[in-house]
Amino acid sequence: MKDKGRFGRYGGIYVPETLMPAVEELEKAFNRYKNNKKFKKELDHLLKEYVGRPTPLTFCTSLSKKLGCKIYLKREDLAHTGAHKINNALGQALLAKYIGKTRIIAETGAGQHGVATATAAAKLGMECEIYMGTIDIERQKLNVFRMQLLGAKVNPVNTGGKTLKDAINDALRDWTANVQTTHYLLGSVLGPHPYPEMVAHFQSIIGKETREQILKIENRLPTAIVACVGGGSNAIGIFREFLKDKEVNLIGVEAGGLGIKTGKHAARFADEKLGRLGILHGTMTYILQDKFGQIYNTHSISAGLDYSAIGPEHSNLRDLKRAQYEFATDKETMEAVQLLSQEEGIIPALESAHAIAHTIKLSKKMKKEDIVVINLSGRGDKDMTTIAKELKFK
Amino acid sequence: MTYAKTFRRLRKNKEKALVPFIVIGDPDYRTSLKIIKTVVESGADILELGFPFSDPIADGPTIQAADVRSLKSKIDTDKCFNFIKEVRKITDIPIGLLVYYNLIYQRGTKKFFYDCKLAGVTSVLAADVPVEESEEITQSARKHKIDTVFLVSPLTDNRRLKLITKKCRGFIYIVSRLGVTGAKEDLKESTLKLIKRVKKHTHLPLCVGFGISRPEHIQSVCKAGADGAIVGSAIVKIIEQNINNKKLMINKIKTYVESLKQATK
């Protein structure tokens, strides 16, 4: 079982013995149901009639002109609850229901995954508790209210850096104590096997739709696909379908925060000193840490990217040179938010705006006929307080 | 002293092992050393020492707070090994470590176990490494004659139990209940059943931990066949509650540990 859940040398299962039976049970359940006809039919129905899939692939008329290449947005912001997170939340919640769990717990950073989980739990009639760092609660207040309205209990996490990493610690502890009744609905391509594979599976619908849509509109594949990367679930979701198409450049964008040199960022790959191979939350991957292995508290303007580790599959894609990883700073991100809002009338989530910020840089190397698809993983309503403060709105 | 010798001595005296758990450097290096000295003088048979980690997922809030205090006082892996060398000057009882894998990995697994040998460590338990992922650790440990301790929980089935007993050396760490570390009032029937089940699979001594906080708990797990009891959060709580009065802290730990040791006789 040594090589279980590996992406190259990354991934694996690094959890206390107390969690092993739960992880093994989950793996069995996932393998049993992922291709089960009844399960697939039920999930497909939910995604179509409840989430509103497929989400559109929108051509940006004004932005394309401005940047000098063809820009498309995969509109995950239009999925129910306003982000791609719902794809995975419904998939896992349904799976949990199939194996007889009655309670769902989840961590959340930006609150999008928390809202998606609370939504899935409400829809499927399950009990729901969400763990969220107190700093994130402050900057994503609206999402906290949404979760409460949806019937979930939000547990504030006041330890460590009080953000996503600490919320995961507490969610794992809850799961350890309540494995028999509870499913831990992890929101990204992180954690012990089978999570990175399972979350990628449920998110891969993004790439499947994108491929179909771009072939229909342009009759060719895109030159590049750009997605922001916190844990990296929206990026894996859109990348996977194109892995074999070597001509499509896959670009993940990390949170550059205040700049790599300041050390206040969440760029695991860009910072070679702090970002090194290690083990956190059940998986082996690149992690921001000090020389002894204590995990760094990251910084990003976007709560959803503010995390110390990157999904193990991304580490492998980088080794294989199949995907490249760049970063965008808080400042570049704020400029991108304004650009997309004013040129296209779409307010992006701060997370997704990192992908737009990089596309602005990338466009300088693009020709007029080149196609860039940006995964617009979420909408920006939740970020309005932060944005208003940054732009000094009165 | 080896675990085998320690448990032999205890059996001869018709006693069970008292295993206090302390986070190295909680609340600071000097005080922590005084605490260890007190614990040893008050009757500890084995020491279980934790290296502080920023994200201790197997531990509850009490131990995490201890980790935070220790890290705040600038304790790192180098200082932890120095600390153990100083502890070795005052006692030769077995010293088991509880460490999260990233700390081992960043030092280099081979170097980590070499340092264990130099410092006089008896065993290592990597809290977030299940038996399936433990090959690298057990190899380095065997090379330097360091025992590898593994956890067994009430949900560990007999198939896993077989894998674990094969790789386990020194003693088996029985997790008395589901969840993370933390002092609890009652001790479940399931723990007692688990002890009996594990006994069928191994001759290794069994030490029970997670949620043991009172002399009665120790008596009941010993009666059920355990060879020792690990007490962590309850001691760490005394540190936390008396953080501003170190003299009182030491006195309280002394009285508490003595009462626990009494219960093992």
Side-chain angles (χ1 to χ4, degrees):
Chain A
M1 197 176 124
K2 170 85 176 130
D3 294 325
K4 221 176 207 184
R6 293 276 168 180
F7 302 91
R9 63 196 293 210
Y10 309 104
I13 305 177
Y14 296 96
V15 296
E17 175 60 25
T18 39
L19 270 182
M20 281 305 288
V23 168
E24 287 183 339
E25 180 194 28
L26 185 59
E27 188 200 12
K28 266 187 215 141
F30 174 58
N31 287 334
R32 181 167 164 207
Y33 288 113
K34 69 178 173 192
N35 295 316
N36 173 286
K37 262 190 196 157
K38 184 168 170 270
F39 179 83
K40 275 174 70 176
K41 204 177 149 196
E42 206 170 330
L43 182 58
D44 285 349
H45 182 78
L46 280 170
L47 290 175
K48 193 173 163 214
E49 305 296 338
Y50 184 65
V51 175
R53 303 206 72 92
T55 57
L57 186 69
T58 305
F59 179 66
C60 297
T61 35
S62 168
L63 194 64
S64 295
K65 206 178 277 174
K66 192 155 190 153
L67 297 182
C69 58
K70 292 182 149 182
I71 311 257
Y72 285 88
L73 301 175
K74 177 59 176 165
R75 300 293 306 278
E76 292 302 295
D77 62 317
L78 292 180
H80 179 44
T81 71
H84 72 293
K85 293 289 184 189
I86 191 73
N87 306 328
N88 168 55
L90 274 172
Q92 280 195 49
L94 191 62
L95 184 67
K97 205 168 176 181
Y98 268 61
I99 59 174
K101 307 281 178 184
T102 54
R103 178 172 174 264
I104 294 214
I105 55 167
E107 82 295 341
T108 197
Q112 287 305 106
H113 175 56
V115 167
T117 301
T119 301
K123 178 72 180 165
L124 298 176
M126 300 167 94
E127 202 188 319
C128 181
E129 282 186 44
I130 306 291
Y131 288 89
M132 189 170 188
T134 46
I135 286 184
D136 290 338
I137 287 181
E138 207 41 60
R139 58 180 164 178
Q140 312 280 195
K141 202 83 205 176
L142 273 179
N143 271 345
V144 176
F145 296 150
R146 289 168 81 194
M147 288 182 260
Q148 287 171 339
L149 182 58
L150 289 160
K153 184 168 170 245
V154 180
N155 299 317
V157 178
N158 218 350
T159 52
K162 302 167 191 178
T163 59
L164 184 56
K165 169 171 86 79
D166 314 287
I168 295 178
N169 288 340
D170 269 16
L172 279 170
R173 289 182 182 126
D174 181 322
W175 197 30
T176 310
N178 301 296
V179 283
Q180 282 148 321
T181 58
T182 300
H183 172 67
Y184 176 23
L185 208 160
L186 190 60
S188 194
V189 285
L190 290 163
H193 176 69
Y195 283 107
E197 179 57 38
M198 181 168 65
V199 177
H201 173 82
F202 289 131
Q203 291 295 3
S204 62
I205 190 163
I206 305 173
K208 282 177 190 153
E209 288 174 6
T210 304
R211 171 185 272 272
E212 227 170 78
Q213 290 163 322
I214 198 74
L215 285 177
K216 201 170 162 197
I217 304 168
E218 292 279 353
N219 201 24
R220 61 189 167 115
L221 293 176
T223 318
I225 295 176
V226 187
C228 66
V229 187
S233 71
N234 89 79
I236 288 292
I238 197 165
F239 287 177
R240 269 217 171 171
E241 189 65 16
F242 297 91
L243 288 177
K244 284 182 186 148
D245 308 302
K246 295 282 155 64
E247 70 272 28
V248 181
N249 293 313
L250 306 176
I251 304 168
V253 186
E254 296 185 286
L258 303 180
I260 302 305
K261 278 182 195 158
T262 66
K264 290 187 164 38
H265 58 76
R268 290 67 41 113
F269 289 149
D271 190 331
E272 284 175 23
K273 192 171 144 251
L274 299 177
R276 301 189 320 276
L277 189 57
I279 299 94
L280 178 67
H281 293 148
T283 192
M284 180 179 276
T285 185
Y286 278 84
I287 298 162
L288 290 167
Q289 54 186 315
D290 74 7
K291 78 168 188 170
F292 292 106
Q294 305 293 349
I295 310 303
Y296 251 60
N297 292 323
T298 49
H299 164 84
S300 169
I301 193 169
S302 75
L305 305 185
D306 205 350
Y307 181 63
S308 323
I310 191 165
E313 191 173 358
H314 285 292
S315 293
N316 193 41
L317 289 176
R318 179 170 173 257
D319 277 6
L320 298 172
K321 297 197 164 52
R322 181 56 198 100
Q324 70 183 80
Y325 294 85
E326 308 289 344
F327 66 88
T329 61
D330 288 353
K331 191 165 165 274
E332 291 164 337
T333 300
M334 281 310 303
E335 286 161 15
V337 168
Q338 296 171 77
L339 184 71
L340 194 73
S341 301
Q342 286 155 23
E343 296 293 330
E344 298 295 332
I346 296 170
I347 300 175
L350 286 173
E351 289 77 15
S352 325
H354 284 71
I356 299 155
H358 180 69
T359 303
I360 298 171
K361 293 183 235 174
L362 180 72
S363 66
K364 295 186 177 114
K365 293 182 222 155
M366 291 280 147
K367 296 189 202 91
K368 208 175 156 211
E369 282 309 300
D370 283 338
I371 301 167
V372 180
V373 174
I374 300 170
N375 195 9
L376 195 72
S377 55
R379 67 176 184 225
D381 309 38
K382 69 179 175 64
D383 296 314
M384 279 322 297
T385 321
T386 309
I387 293 171
K389 206 169 131 199
E390 284 290 318
L391 299 179
K392 302 192 169 64
F393 286 167
K394 275 184 189 148
Chain B
M1 201 186 289
T2 61
Y3 284 116
K5 262 191 192 161
T6 299
F7 284 106
R8 231 180 356 249
R9 170 181 67 82
L10 289 165
R11 261 194 299 273
K12 221 175 104 189
N13 299 342
K14 296 201 163 60
E15 285 174 34
K16 302 293 172 100
L18 175 66
V19 191
F21 170 83
I22 304 282
V23 174
I24 295 177
D26 171 30
D28 59 70
Y29 192 95
R30 282 291 132 209
T31 312
S32 186
L33 207 53
K34 267 186 212 148
I35 291 169
I36 301 283
K37 200 163 172 258
T38 308
V39 159
V40 170
E41 287 166 357
S42 309
D45 299 297
I46 293 166
L47 282 172
E48 184 79 6
L49 301 181
F51 281 25
F53 184 51
S54 53
D55 295 83
I57 55 169
D59 288 297
T62 308
I63 304 290
Q64 180 168 29
D67 285 1
V68 169
R69 285 193 294 272
S70 171
L71 290 172
K72 257 202 186 137
S73 77
K74 306 268 181 237
I75 300 296
D76 57 36
T77 309
D78 289 343
K79 286 183 188 151
C80 284
F81 280 118
N82 277 337
F83 186 93
I84 297 164
K85 283 177 193 162
E86 293 201 47
V87 173
R88 265 290 164 248
K89 288 180 196 158
I90 56 171
T91 180
D92 69 340
I93 63 174
I95 296 178
L97 299 188
L98 195 143
V99 190
Y100 286 85
Y101 189 31
N102 200 44
L103 300 180
I104 299 176
Y105 191 82
Q106 296 313 320
R107 198 168 189 82
T109 304
K110 282 178 189 162
K111 180 167 165 40
F112 187 91
F113 281 94
Y114 178 66
D115 288 340
C116 282
K117 186 173 84 171
L118 290 186
V121 169
T122 318
S123 70
V124 171
L125 193 175
D128 52 350
V129 179
V131 65
E132 289 86 347
E133 303 274 9
S134 68
E135 193 59 34
E136 201 182 312
I137 284 178
T138 47
Q139 266 181 16
S140 291
R142 301 281 182 271
K143 195 179 156 201
H144 297 298
K145 301 204 163 50
I146 307 288
D147 287 331
T148 46
V149 173
F150 286 88
L151 298 170
V152 167
S153 101
L155 291 184
T156 305
D157 60 20
N158 287 337
R159 180 187 61 81
R160 297 191 56 77
L161 197 50
K162 268 187 198 135
L163 292 174
I164 291 167
T165 47
K166 228 184 193 167
K167 293 257 188 173
C168 199
R169 299 284 186 278
F171 68 90
I172 289 181
Y173 191 131
I174 305 259
V175 176
S176 62
R177 60 182 165 82
L178 295 181
V180 291
T181 56
K184 280 281 151 67
E185 289 299 308
D186 64 318
L187 201 67
K188 277 187 184 163
E189 192 66 20
S190 63
T191 310
L192 311 180
K193 269 191 207 150
L194 178 62
I195 294 171
K196 285 185 184 140
R197 181 157 67 91
V198 178
K199 281 260 168 198
K200 286 181 194 153
H201 283 84
T202 180
H203 295 297
L204 280 174
L206 311 182
C207 293
V208 180
F210 283 40
I212 294 195
S213 61
R214 299 149 67 107
E216 304 91 272
H217 297 154
I218 296 184
Q219 281 161 348
S220 74
V221 296
C222 290
K223 217 187 233 169
D227 303 283
I230 303 164
V231 183
S233 299
I235 299 175
V236 172
K237 248 197 188 123
I238 300 179
I239 299 176
E240 184 180 281
Q241 285 163 354
N242 299 281
I243 204 89
N244 294 321
N245 188 343
K246 285 176 186 156
K247 208 170 166 190
L248 188 64
M249 178 200 293
I250 298 285
N251 279 337
K252 280 190 172 168
I253 291 174
K254 182 171 179 283
T255 318
Y256 180 60
V257 174
E258 281 171 353
S259 74
L260 297 177
K261 182 54 204 171
Q262 267 308 316
T264 69
K265 290 182 180 171

